[in-house]
Amino acid sequence: MMINFQGFSKQKSPQVLFENALPASDPGTLEQLKELSSRRRAIESINQNSFVTEAIAREMSGGLTSRCEQNIQKVEQYLPLLGNLIHHVNIVGDNPKMARWISDLKIRWSSSLAPSSFFHLSGPKLYQMDNLHFELGMTLFVLGALLRDQALEVLSTDLVQSATILRKAAGIYQHLAQVVLPCLQPELAPERPPEALISVSAATTLVCLAEAQAVTVKKAEQKGNTGGLLAKLHYGVCEFLNEAIDTLHSATKQCKDISSLTDYITTCKMLHELLSYKYRAESLKTEGQIGFAIGVLYHVIQSSEKHTPREESWRLVYKQVIDDLTVLLRKYEHENEFVWHEKIPMQDELPVPQGVKIVSSILYQPQRWERTLVFKM
């Protein structure tokens, strides 16, 4: 991952007290609802200022030293309890009392993808939906985002683990798009967080797969693989990201602005396209086709000038890659002028780039604690 998008895991949610809204019929149910509230409170603290010391946080998590791993554990401890509650609510069915109790929970979440509004001076805008699948969907979105953060955390020490974690994140977003969010679509209000849209989760699945392949390419580069293979692997990343951009088109019709995510995807695609063409040019040069190598470099550098990344850190990386390719182009042009004298082909004569995709998502399997819940119906 040459650049990073940190906008996936910044959601916030006010406190939810399940035991206050859902009338328990027995002490066991009451205790489980209190535990559910306690587990959720731990998630609510993830994006809040914490006064817990590192030593206490490590002890509370059973010895986990990484703050990212600690946050993942918090979410994973909450989800089985939430799944059990959803199971028992579904058993009750369309009961007016249950619908009112779910409404009394006031499940509200902010969005990390939607732009902040000038009018919400007291904090981020909150979206409310009286549906437990909204709670499940937003929680899973946070879990996928935390896994992305963890993948970045271990990137410098373990490329294989980083790619595996990203594939797990892709599996979570795929589960969201295919299983969880379709239940929500009929109830979505005109104003909804992007995280509740099927297209956003589907696109994020592809982003995570692209990032996993990018890490895999990094491993291949370290092993000294040939330029032809590296060119195809980098272009495979582009193909994942092109699919993500196409998938996001429907989301942009439903949300006012998710341009930060779109710009990240576009910038990543352009960076890997530049690298793909770089390796392709080097491979062509090795094969004695320096004219084609020069044409490939000239074409991709010219195309790259049409895009300007929004983030300063992204622009710096983007400029460095273009500068490196420009130096390589000048070198090849100089060599061709004095040694080979090959004709530079037109753009439509250049070889068509080919991509190879070698990663897939790891299936997410939700866990549910099977505990009986009885309500005063």
Side-chain angles (χ1 to χ4, degrees):
M1 293 177 285
M2 304 177 67
I3 60 174
N4 185 36
F5 180 72
Q6 298 180 324
F8 280 121
S9 59
K10 304 300 180 185
Q11 297 90 344
K12 293 186 177 182
S13 180
Q15 187 179 56
V16 171
L17 295 175
F18 292 93
E19 68 273 18
N20 287 358
L22 301 171
S25 186
D26 59 71
T29 299
L30 178 61
E31 190 62 32
Q32 289 173 58
L33 292 175
K34 287 182 177 179
E35 184 180 356
L36 194 59
S37 297
S38 175
R39 295 297 184 189
R40 192 186 195 276
R41 200 170 300 119
I43 296 175
E44 294 159 9
S45 69
I46 288 176
N47 286 321
Q48 295 176 352
N49 294 327
S50 176
F51 300 100
V52 177
T53 65
E54 289 186 10
I56 293 175
R58 184 168 60 249
E59 185 176 346
M60 290 172 63
S61 65
L64 296 176
T65 56
S66 161
R67 181 58 61 93
C68 195
E69 285 184 309
Q70 292 167 3
N71 288 336
I72 289 170
Q73 183 189 68
K74 291 174 183 177
V75 178
E76 289 180 337
Q77 289 177 339
Y78 173 63
L79 282 168
L81 293 171
L82 178 62
N84 189 53
L85 175 62
I86 292 174
H87 171 73
H88 284 86
V89 169
N90 288 341
I91 290 175
V92 172
D94 297 328
N95 185 288
K97 287 185 178 180
M98 182 59 75
R100 186 175 70 252
W101 296 337
I102 298 298
S103 177
D104 290 341
L105 287 171
K106 298 191 184 304
I107 299 170
R108 293 172 294 166
W109 284 84
S110 69
S111 170
S112 63
L113 298 177
S116 56
S117 171
F118 174 79
F119 298 103
H120 291 83
L121 300 177
S122 59
K125 179 177 180 177
L126 295 173
Y127 300 85
Q128 179 171 337
M129 280 195 66
D130 302 329
N131 191 309
L132 288 175
H133 280 91
F134 176 57
E135 173 75 0
L136 177 60
M138 294 301 291
T139 306
L140 282 171
F141 202 99
V142 170
L143 177 59
L146 291 171
L147 285 171
R148 283 186 73 255
D149 292 345
Q150 185 188 18
L152 182 63
E153 192 176 80
V154 304
L155 180 63
S156 60
T157 57
D158 194 331
L159 292 173
V160 174
Q161 184 186 8
S162 181
T164 301
I165 293 170
L166 285 165
R167 291 173 59 217
K168 288 180 180 177
I172 288 172
Y173 289 117
Q174 188 175 52
H175 179 77
L176 263 174
Q178 295 179 355
V179 179
V180 178
L181 294 181
C183 303
L184 265 184
Q185 301 314 297
E187 298 184 28
L188 280 179
E191 219 174 10
R192 75 289 301 269
E195 291 89 340
L197 298 175
I198 292 174
S199 54
V200 170
S201 281
T204 308
T205 301
L206 294 162
V207 169
C208 290
L209 289 174
E211 292 171 336
Q213 175 138 336
V215 175
T216 305
V217 178
K218 192 176 181 69
K219 184 73 173 177
E221 289 170 339
Q222 289 182 355
K223 288 183 175 180
N225 286 97
T226 62
L229 174 61
L230 294 174
K232 291 179 180 179
L233 290 174
H234 273 293
Y235 206 78
V237 176
C238 296
E239 290 177 340
F240 275 126
L241 295 171
N242 270 326
E243 287 183 60
I245 291 169
D246 291 341
T247 305
L248 273 184
H249 280 327
S250 62
T252 55
K253 297 174 184 176
Q254 296 171 283
C255 298
K256 291 180 181 177
D257 185 10
I258 50 172
S259 59
S260 59
L261 175 59
T262 304
D263 188 64
Y264 168 72
I265 297 173
T266 303
T267 302
C268 277
K269 181 187 82 71
M270 292 297 298
L271 281 168
H272 286 281
E273 187 172 299
L274 285 164
L275 291 174
S276 175
Y277 276 76
K278 170 182 176 287
Y279 284 117
R280 182 66 178 130
E282 290 176 346
S283 181
L284 288 166
K285 167 70 164 52
T286 302
E287 295 167 4
Q289 302 182 66
I290 194 169
F292 278 95
I294 291 170
V296 162
L297 289 173
Y298 182 80
H299 164 64
V300 75
I301 292 171
Q302 194 175 44
S303 298
S304 68
E305 294 172 352
K306 300 174 184 177
H307 176 68
T308 303
R310 89 161 44 194
E311 299 287 340
E312 175 64 23
S313 61
W314 301 354
R315 286 197 293 271
L316 291 173
V317 174
Y318 196 67
K319 181 180 182 302
Q320 183 61 57
V321 173
I322 294 174
D323 288 347
D324 291 345
L325 262 67
T326 302
V327 170
L328 186 63
L329 173 61
R330 298 290 173 259
K331 176 185 174 183
Y332 286 1
E333 287 178 329
H334 181 78
E335 185 175 337
N336 189 51
E337 182 180 352
F338 287 94
V339 180
W340 305 109
H341 310 293
E342 281 195 16
K343 176 187 174 183
I344 311 304
M346 303 296 289
Q347 182 177 334
D348 59 0
E349 298 174 312
L350 295 174
V352 178
Q354 294 179 323
V356 174
K357 299 176 186 175
I358 60 171
V359 301
S360 58
S361 58
I362 295 176
L363 181 67
Y364 173 70
Q365 297 179 316
Q367 305 296 314
R368 178 172 70 85
W369 289 6
E370 297 184 5
R371 300 178 179 179
T372 302
L373 298 175
V374 182
F375 305 104
K376 295 178 180 177
M377 302 302 296

